[in-house]
Amino acid sequence: MRTPHRMTAHPLPADHHPNPYDHPYDLPDDPPDRYPNPYDELGTLGGAGPLEDFLHEDEPEAGPEPWPGGPPHQEPGEEPGEAWAPPNHRRGSRRRRRHLAGLPFAMKAAVLAVTLAAFLTLADRWALLYAEHQASQTLKDQLHLTAAPEVEIGGFPFLTQLADDRLDSVRVTVPDVAADRVSLAKVSATATRVRLDSDGPTDVHGARIPELHGEVLLSFDDLNRELGSSQVTFTGHGRDQVRARGTLPVAGHDLRLRADARIRRDGTRGISTRIDGMRLDIGDLATYRPGARASEGLHLTPRSAARLGSQTARARELLSVPSVVRRLGIPDRVVREALRDDTELASLTGSPAFVHQAMRLNLLDVATAHPELLKRLGLDPALLDGLSRLTRPVLVDQLSLGFRLPHPADGRIRLRDVRVERDGIRVDVTGTGLSVGR
């Protein structure tokens, strides 16, 4: 900032009378060495041009220029101030240019190379994201999926692979794939050495997959929701066994369900289940096992059969039916004595042989001819009718965990290892000679 200085007033002649029309600044000319020429000052402010600055940017800065025509007038007693110099607005820009000019050429080249590499990487990643999105939509349409799969293209850089019509690896993850009666929670596969069928980088028609490795997950959470209607839960037991536990509604009654399923590979594209140990418990009164063998059907539980020894009325009604007596295998003479004497009856029904024979009696065989007898034993006739229709094939179908992968138009898909884990059933998949697109 320019330091102000006092101006010395010049005395006027004694006979001078001010004219109001005279300009207030029309004073006698000052001495030429007293005040600077304004045009000289403007020339000093302008300094050298941009070209001159560029050519002499490494020269040392000169000190402040002296006042043109000598120092300004100073009143007696006034503190001497610093010499005023015109501001130089180009000093900051010169300083910045000198910093850049001082960098070695190798560092400038490195900065340029890093910037160019960043732009190329950004373009490569953008092209990669676009290609993954297009591939995801194509797979969704061709495979008729409910949700678009997740596609991840490996290898770097992507644009060079695309220009060469090849991809190092492509990983596809498909959620929620319908497979027969169940839904596969996740199907993931990685294809390697993929060859593209294209007329240029921007016109890809399809792809040929020489080799593929993947995994299929059948989630227990999905099985519980789809097969058990939230009343039956599936859990893993061992490497190849699944346990089903819960309740099954039959004729208005909630029966406790127990079943074991063994998982195995069925051919090269399917998974099958063998259901064993199926059983429905009607409280502690009877147990139903579907099937036609002697151990299957509706039978009294050990506790229920043992209680007949203390339930004289029910035991007497049971022994009064000749067809039941024949199925129990009790001699007629022993039955007649038991019906005449309560002591003999209690002795007969309380023996281990009678309990064993009573448990072997299939109550479904008795239900048709003597429905009132089973009602007196505490069994609902409607429940018995519902159980008679719940055959083994029907129950096996309700608990089946099997599925088959679709057959591809080209190539082969094979199921390898099958194993039961904590979260579900996992199956390894391999494929060869597959193609996508036209």
Side-chain angles (χ1 to χ4, degrees):
M1 179 176 180
R2 181 177 179 179
T3 306
H5 299 280
R6 295 182 181 178
M7 306 295 294
T8 305
H10 297 275
L12 298 177
D15 58 348
H16 176 73
H17 298 283
N19 187 348
Y21 297 99
D22 290 343
H23 196 279
Y25 299 104
D26 290 341
L27 300 176
D29 294 336
D30 293 326
D33 57 347
R34 181 69 56 85
Y35 297 100
N37 189 336
Y39 295 101
D40 294 339
E41 184 176 352
L42 289 176
T44 304
L45 289 174
L51 181 59
E52 191 71 11
D53 291 340
F54 178 78
L55 294 176
H56 299 86
E57 60 180 0
D58 292 335
E59 294 181 1
E61 296 185 7
E65 297 181 5
W67 183 275
H73 178 75
Q74 181 175 336
E75 292 291 335
E78 184 180 2
E79 293 292 334
E82 296 180 359
W84 180 87
N88 187 351
H89 300 286
R90 293 188 178 88
R91 290 183 179 179
S93 61
R94 289 184 197 169
R95 194 173 292 113
R96 287 191 294 270
R97 286 196 295 270
R98 281 196 297 272
H99 289 324
L100 293 177
L103 293 176
F105 176 77
M107 185 172 294
K108 293 180 181 179
V111 172
L112 180 61
V114 170
T115 304
L116 182 60
F119 277 108
L120 292 177
T121 302
L122 182 62
D124 186 85
R125 295 300 92 184
W126 182 87
L128 175 65
L129 293 176
Y130 177 78
E132 289 176 345
H133 174 73
Q134 291 297 105
S136 176
Q137 295 300 320
T138 301
L139 290 175
K140 177 184 177 183
D141 296 337
Q142 290 189 356
L143 300 179
H144 306 288
L145 303 175
T146 58
E150 180 181 348
V151 179
E152 299 179 13
I153 301 177
F156 181 83
F158 168 70
L159 291 176
T160 58
Q161 299 181 67
L162 187 61
D164 196 26
D165 287 340
R166 63 170 180 83
L167 297 175
D168 293 342
S169 65
V170 178
R171 180 174 178 82
V172 179
T173 302
V174 186
D176 193 20
V177 180
D180 298 337
R181 296 180 57 252
V182 298
S183 296
L184 304 180
K186 184 174 68 173
V187 178
S188 59
T190 300
T192 55
R193 298 181 290 113
V194 179
R195 304 299 301 179
L196 300 179
D197 181 13
S198 67
D199 294 331
T202 60
D203 189 11
V204 179
H205 309 302
R208 295 185 298 277
I209 305 172
E211 188 175 0
L212 178 144
H213 297 276
E215 186 180 74
V216 176
L217 171 63
L218 182 61
S219 172
F220 286 140
D221 292 338
D222 293 340
L223 293 176
N224 297 339
R225 182 179 63 256
E226 296 175 358
L227 299 183
S229 301
S230 301
Q231 296 180 355
V232 177
T233 59
F234 295 85
T235 57
H237 183 69
R239 179 179 172 82
D240 62 347
Q241 189 173 355
V242 177
R243 288 180 174 177
R245 301 290 186 269
T247 59
L248 186 67
V250 178
H253 298 267
D254 289 333
L255 308 184
R256 291 196 303 270
L257 171 67
R258 296 170 58 90
D260 297 327
R262 291 193 176 274
I263 309 299
R264 61 183 180 181
R265 184 164 58 92
D266 184 12
T268 60
R269 294 187 298 111
I271 296 297
S272 64
T273 53
R274 188 184 67 189
I275 309 296
D276 295 325
M278 288 185 297
R279 148 181 157 183
L280 292 170
D281 294 332
I282 308 173
D284 61 350
L285 179 62
T287 298
Y288 174 70
R289 294 181 176 87
R293 292 182 295 184
S295 59
E296 297 170 340
L298 182 62
H299 300 268
L300 295 175
T301 64
R303 180 179 299 180
S304 178
R307 282 201 300 262
L308 289 177
S310 58
Q311 297 173 348
T312 306
R314 290 186 177 181
R316 192 180 297 277
E317 292 178 358
L318 186 64
L319 295 177
S320 300
V321 179
S323 59
V324 173
V325 172
R326 287 195 297 270
R327 287 187 174 86
L328 290 174
I330 304 175
D332 293 339
R333 178 182 59 80
V334 176
V335 171
R336 288 194 298 268
E337 293 178 356
L339 292 177
R340 287 195 301 265
D341 188 350
D342 291 343
T343 303
E344 293 293 334
L345 179 62
S347 176
L348 173 63
T349 56
S351 63
F354 178 84
V355 172
H356 179 71
Q357 292 296 330
M359 290 174 56
R360 295 184 58 186
L361 179 64
N362 190 351
L363 299 180
L364 290 180
D365 296 337
V366 183
T368 303
H370 307 279
E372 70 285 350
L373 175 61
L374 299 184
K375 186 176 181 179
R376 292 175 182 176
L377 292 176
L379 297 174
D380 185 3
L383 176 61
L384 298 177
D385 184 64
L387 291 176
S388 63
R389 291 195 298 268
L390 192 62
T391 60
R392 182 178 180 85
V394 172
L395 192 56
V396 167
D397 184 67
Q398 292 186 13
L399 300 176
S400 177
L401 311 179
F403 64 89
R404 297 187 69 82
L405 293 179
H407 185 73
D410 298 323
R412 300 174 62 184
I413 293 181
R414 290 178 173 271
L415 299 181
R416 295 295 186 183
D417 185 42
V418 180
R419 59 192 181 277
V420 177
E421 298 182 353
R422 179 186 296 269
D423 55 346
I425 303 170
R426 293 185 181 272
V427 184
D428 292 337
V429 181
T430 61
T432 55
L434 302 174
S435 63
V436 178
R438 72 181 189 184

